[in-house]
């Protein structure tokens, strides 16, 4: 039951972020190997710095390891489709990333700064001013990231790239993107207009498909649950 609820919340999280597609240009890509679209703006960075870039629907995070390498928790569908390391280790395109999120397949991998950024500008250590816990030493941050390289359980809500970098740099795995989503979900549930909307949708389903348990029961129980939660 908990797994099903988590699955539904993760898909809702994806859907609520799809509006970004229409506010930002989506780089054309496919699953074939290729390099990053454009050269990103790279500020001065040191080993152990926390890097963030805008990547498709979300902000993506990584830890700089030095020598132009970044460790980051990256969803990717390609390891499910092939065992060819040459294909798997190519730059992860946007489509591969989104399909990896849906399939919940990811790993902590090491890529070049350019492949990590995927054409976006890089922000360095911006989270330092947002976190309650102070950052640990940069060398310890990098070593933590290096120890986690490889396949890792993934959840868009509970164990994503932001959880990875905050654990490495601050010792506490948190995700502000997840917190914002949960806050918005609570606001929507508490809004009594959500109850009216679900009642209206339920009545419409009964009119269209006829009175049946699959239409009548959701029409009763979903609005009631939202009303009680609000």
């Amino acid at each position: 039951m908990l797994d099903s609820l988590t699955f539904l919340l993760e898909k809702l999280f994806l859907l609520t972020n799809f509006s970004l597609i229409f506010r930002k240009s989506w780089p054309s890509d496919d699953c074939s190997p290729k390099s990053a679209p454009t050269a990103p703006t790279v500020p001065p960075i040191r080993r152990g710095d926390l890097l963030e870039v805008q990547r498709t629907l979300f902000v993506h995070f990584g830890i700089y390891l030095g020598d132009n390498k970044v460790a980051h928790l990256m969803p990717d569908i390609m390891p499910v489709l092939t065992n060819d390391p040459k294909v798997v280790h190519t730059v992860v395109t946007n489509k591969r990333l989104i399909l990896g999120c849906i399939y919940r397949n990811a790993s902590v991998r090491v890529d070049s700064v350019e492949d990590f950024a995927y054409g976006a500008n890089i922000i360095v250590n911006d989270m330092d001013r947002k976190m309650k816990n102070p950052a640990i030493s940069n060398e310890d941050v990098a070593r933590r990231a290096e120890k986690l390289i490889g396949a890792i359980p993934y959840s868009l809500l509970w164990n994503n790239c932001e959880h990875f970098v905050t654990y490495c740099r601050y010792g506490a795995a948190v995700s502000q993107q997840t917190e914002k989503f949960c806050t918005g979900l609570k606001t929507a549930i508490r809004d009594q207009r959500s109850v009216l909307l679900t009642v209206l949708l339920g009545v419409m389903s009964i009119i269209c498909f006829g009175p049946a348990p699959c239409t009548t029961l959701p029409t009763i129980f979903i609005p009631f649950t939202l009303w009680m939660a609000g």
Side-chain angles (χ1 to χ4, degrees):
M1 181 65 181
L2 182 59
D3 288 343
S4 299
L5 180 59
T6 299
F7 178 82
L8 291 174
L9 286 174
E10 287 179 346
K11 300 306 170 279
L12 180 59
F13 191 23
L14 278 172
L15 290 174
T16 55
N17 281 275
F18 265 106
S19 61
L20 290 173
I21 296 175
F22 303 98
R23 296 202 298 266
K24 294 179 177 286
S25 59
W26 183 293
S28 61
D29 57 29
D30 52 35
C31 292
S32 59
K34 65 178 184 178
S35 59
T38 57
T41 300
V42 183
I45 49 180
R46 300 178 301 154
R47 176 174 163 86
D49 280 347
L50 190 158
L51 311 183
E52 58 183 277
V53 295
Q54 183 67 48
R55 186 73 191 263
T56 65
L57 311 179
F58 317 102
V59 178
H60 186 54
F61 299 86
I63 298 295
Y64 185 64
L65 301 180
D67 297 326
N68 201 45
K69 296 178 181 179
V70 181
H72 55 132
L73 177 53
M74 171 62 79
D76 185 13
I77 193 64
M78 194 56 67
V80 179
L81 305 178
T82 179
N83 292 322
D84 187 346
K86 292 183 179 179
V87 177
V88 172
H89 292 143
T90 56
V91 59
V92 178
T93 63
N94 291 329
K95 290 178 182 177
R96 284 171 57 177
L97 188 156
I98 296 300
L99 291 174
C101 286
I102 295 172
Y103 199 80
R104 300 178 70 176
N105 185 79
S107 65
V108 176
R109 53 183 283 161
V110 177
D111 286 307
S112 68
V113 172
E114 292 76 19
D115 286 352
F116 164 78
Y118 204 70
N121 293 334
I122 297 175
I123 300 173
V124 181
N125 296 333
D126 183 62
M127 198 174 289
D128 285 0
R129 61 186 179 84
K130 303 175 183 177
M131 294 290 294
K132 295 180 180 179
N133 295 352
I136 64 177
S137 71
N138 275 35
E139 183 60 30
D140 288 340
V141 173
R143 287 177 180 174
R144 279 189 178 185
E146 289 168 339
K147 288 180 180 179
L148 293 173
I149 292 172
I152 192 171
Y154 180 77
S155 168
L156 185 61
L157 290 177
W158 316 124
N159 190 36
N160 58 38
C161 62
E162 193 173 1
H163 291 99
F164 165 69
V165 297
T166 52
Y167 165 74
C168 290
R169 189 165 176 85
Y170 311 105
V174 297
S175 172
Q176 295 178 353
Q177 294 180 104
T178 297
E179 291 174 358
K180 288 179 181 178
F181 167 75
C182 292
T183 299
L185 185 61
K186 289 178 183 178
T187 301
I189 290 175
R190 290 171 179 170
D191 190 338
Q192 294 303 305
R193 288 175 294 184
S194 299
V195 178
L196 296 177
L197 179 61
T198 54
V199 170
L200 179 61
L201 291 175
V203 171
M204 291 176 62
S205 68
I206 292 175
I207 294 174
C208 293
F209 303 106
C214 62
T215 56
T216 305
L217 292 178
T219 301
I220 296 173
F221 286 111
I222 294 177
F224 176 74
T225 302
L226 291 175
W227 177 71
M228 290 295 292

